[in-house]
Amino acid sequence: MSAPVLSIIILAAMFLLATVLPLNMGALAFVGAFLLGSVVLGMSTNDILANFPGGLFLTIVGVTYLFAIAQNNGTIDLLVRGAVKMVGSRVALIPWVMFAITAVITSVGALSPAAVAIIAPIALSFAGKYKISPLLMGMMVIHGAQAGGFSPIAVYGVTVNGILAKTDLDFSPTALFLSSLIFNLVIALVLFIVLGGRALLSSKVSHFVEQAAEARMSVSVGANAGDVPFKGFGSGMYGPRDPAGDGVAATKERSERIPQLVTIAGLIALAVIALGFKVDVGFVSITIAIVLALVSPKAQKGAINKISWSTVLLICGMLTFVGVLEEAGTIEFVSNGVAGMGMPLLAALLICYIGAVVSAFASSTAILAALIPLAVPFLSTGEIGAVGVICALAVAATIVDVSPFSTNGALVLANAPEGVDKDRFYKQILGYSGIVIVAGPLLAWLALVVPGWL
């Protein structure tokens, strides 16, 4: 058996094991890289480790560390509160605010499941209180997370752009970000119309929405909630502790606001320095994170533990394995097979469907890390627009995270509002995810690949 064929079998086995068993695919990938490299190809361990993506490791650690500090010092809470206050009495804006908040959180470095875990409980509690479709609200949160997920400083964006930076392909990080943003925005608009959003346009609520949101978010995001009911409301909701109005809480709030404002300035600086001046995102983000830790030492406690080490292991393991695949000739083998089809458009559609189907049950990050390198030689021939295919693959592999078998879908299901039949809700999510898996890759292909404008 040739090395390329054996390596493909190993890759398929890795995906199967990681899907069926609670195993990190990155750990499996390191084992696969070692066995394939040393046993089959005769590579030394130094040669295998030469494929370890050190730059990407630093970027993911730096960005997620920065986000963890922002979450700990209440900056994310502040942004969420500010956004919810924009709702006022307009119920129809609530789903859109949740979409926008989640998009912003992922665009500044949060992993998609982390953003969904923060916002889904808040969003679905509003859905139950104001008779908004739970399916609409839950899917708005997930599509919001995916809309911001490919910004140049987000984990998905960093992963894809990092892989392509090592190739000769002309690629646009901006096109990748906007493709995902617009595609998910359009899906959100369709969902809003189909799932009763128009009926919400005439619905109004009192200003209690703002205060209810603040109380729920102080619990969900981890701020220090007190145990005194909001004054003037017999709601049973709990608000900030300052029953006597003696100003203690106000003084505490001012002291907490300074690190939050510094954090917001840091996030803006990250975008300007990394994107405007093309300075390495990893070094900039971890530098800003350390500055924030010095400004507010208490906020950085536990932040290291909130770095998504499982994702770091996943991405670094997969890219190390991909480097060994290249040594085995697998990349060229697969590319020649795809090019041999003689139909570049059909090959691109097939790649999108493979990414979507596998990602619905396995890690989106892993499938992107595996498929993009396999597609690069085929795209380098110039027979089809490389930017369009990469953007379509990125969209197809991530919009399917609405599946109840994915982390995002499971989080939405777990936060179903009280009184909602969970079995029925599960079937609704499953049915919607089936539609997305079937139609999503095709629509992405039609919009981003076929016209040839990317």
Side-chain angles (χ1 to χ4, degrees):
M1 185 181 296
S2 67
V5 173
L6 180 60
S7 63
I8 292 173
I9 293 174
I10 293 175
L11 179 62
M14 284 162 41
F15 271 104
L16 180 61
L17 287 173
T19 303
V20 175
L21 300 174
L23 298 174
N24 185 292
M25 190 164 175
L28 290 172
F30 275 120
V31 175
F34 173 66
L35 294 178
L36 179 63
S38 62
V39 177
V40 179
L41 302 178
M43 297 173 64
S44 68
T45 53
N46 287 337
D47 291 336
I48 295 172
L49 289 174
N51 296 296
F52 184 87
L56 195 55
F57 169 85
L58 177 62
T59 298
I60 296 173
V61 169
V63 168
T64 53
Y65 181 42
L66 174 59
F67 175 79
I69 293 177
Q71 186 178 355
N72 282 358
N73 68 19
T75 302
I76 301 303
D77 188 20
L78 179 67
L79 295 175
V80 173
R81 290 183 183 184
V84 171
K85 285 182 180 180
M86 297 169 57
V87 172
S89 62
R90 298 176 293 275
V91 176
L93 286 182
I94 296 177
W96 289 107
V97 168
M98 297 303 161
F99 177 94
I101 293 172
T102 321
V104 169
I105 291 175
T106 53
S107 69
V108 297
L111 287 166
S112 177
V116 174
I118 292 170
I119 302 301
I122 304 165
L124 287 161
S125 67
F126 279 145
K129 187 173 182 65
Y130 298 108
K131 309 303 180 186
I132 302 171
S133 165
L135 182 63
L136 169 62
M137 192 68 91
M139 296 306 106
M140 290 289 274
V141 170
I142 295 177
H143 285 298
Q146 308 302 35
F150 284 96
S151 87
I153 58 175
V155 174
Y156 283 157
V158 164
T159 301
V160 174
N161 295 330
I163 293 171
L164 293 173
K166 298 179 180 180
T167 72
D168 296 328
L169 293 177
D170 290 329
F171 188 70
S172 170
T174 303
L176 175 65
F177 176 41
L178 292 179
S179 296
S180 179
L181 175 63
I182 295 172
F183 202 91
N184 281 281
L185 185 62
V186 171
I187 293 177
L189 180 60
V190 173
L191 284 172
F192 184 79
I193 294 171
V194 172
L195 296 178
R198 288 177 295 178
L200 299 176
L201 295 174
S202 59
S203 299
K204 300 287 183 181
V205 295
S206 70
H207 63 285
F208 178 69
V209 168
E210 296 176 14
Q211 299 193 4
E214 291 182 6
R216 290 183 187 277
M217 281 180 284
S218 66
V219 175
S220 299
V221 184
N224 294 323
D227 55 5
V228 178
F230 283 110
K231 299 169 185 177
F233 292 89
S235 62
M237 298 296 293
Y238 290 89
R241 184 195 299 274
D242 191 14
D246 57 8
V248 175
T251 302
K252 183 179 179 182
E253 182 179 347
R254 281 194 296 271
S255 66
E256 292 176 345
R257 190 59 54 87
I258 293 175
Q260 294 169 355
L261 294 177
V262 174
T263 302
I264 293 173
L267 293 174
I268 295 173
L270 172 61
V272 172
I273 297 172
L275 305 181
F277 294 94
K278 307 297 182 184
V279 182
D280 183 83
V281 175
F283 281 111
V284 176
S285 59
I286 204 162
T287 300
I288 294 173
I290 292 299
V291 170
L292 295 178
L294 293 173
V295 171
S296 180
K298 290 183 180 179
Q300 67 88 34
K301 288 183 178 179
I304 293 292
N305 294 332
K306 289 187 177 181
I307 295 173
S308 183
W309 295 110
S310 62
T311 300
V312 173
L313 177 61
L314 169 66
I315 294 174
C316 292
M318 282 301 301
L319 293 184
T320 302
F321 182 73
V322 166
V324 176
L325 290 183
E326 190 169 2
E327 293 290 335
T330 309
I331 308 295
E332 184 179 358
F333 176 79
V334 172
S335 179
N336 291 337
V338 172
M341 294 176 64
M343 295 178 285
L345 285 176
L346 181 60
L349 179 61
L350 179 62
I351 290 172
C352 289
Y353 268 108
I354 291 173
V357 172
V358 176
S359 182
F361 300 93
S363 167
S364 300
T365 309
I367 195 64
L368 288 173
L371 279 183
I372 291 177
L374 292 175
V376 165
F378 158 65
L379 297 175
S380 299
T381 61
E383 296 181 2
I384 194 170
V387 176
V389 174
I390 297 297
C391 290
L393 173 58
V395 169
T398 52
I399 58 171
V400 297
D401 284 349
V402 296
S403 163
F405 306 112
S406 70
T407 304
N408 287 345
L411 284 168
V412 167
L413 181 61
N415 286 284
E418 292 183 13
V420 170
D421 185 338
K422 281 203 171 186
D423 287 337
R424 183 170 180 269
F425 192 35
Y426 166 77
K427 291 177 181 177
Q428 288 178 333
I429 297 176
L430 187 62
Y432 174 67
S433 63
I435 294 172
V436 172
I437 292 171
V438 171
L442 178 62
L443 294 175
W445 177 74
L446 288 172
L448 301 171
V449 180
V450 174
W453 52 30
L454 291 175

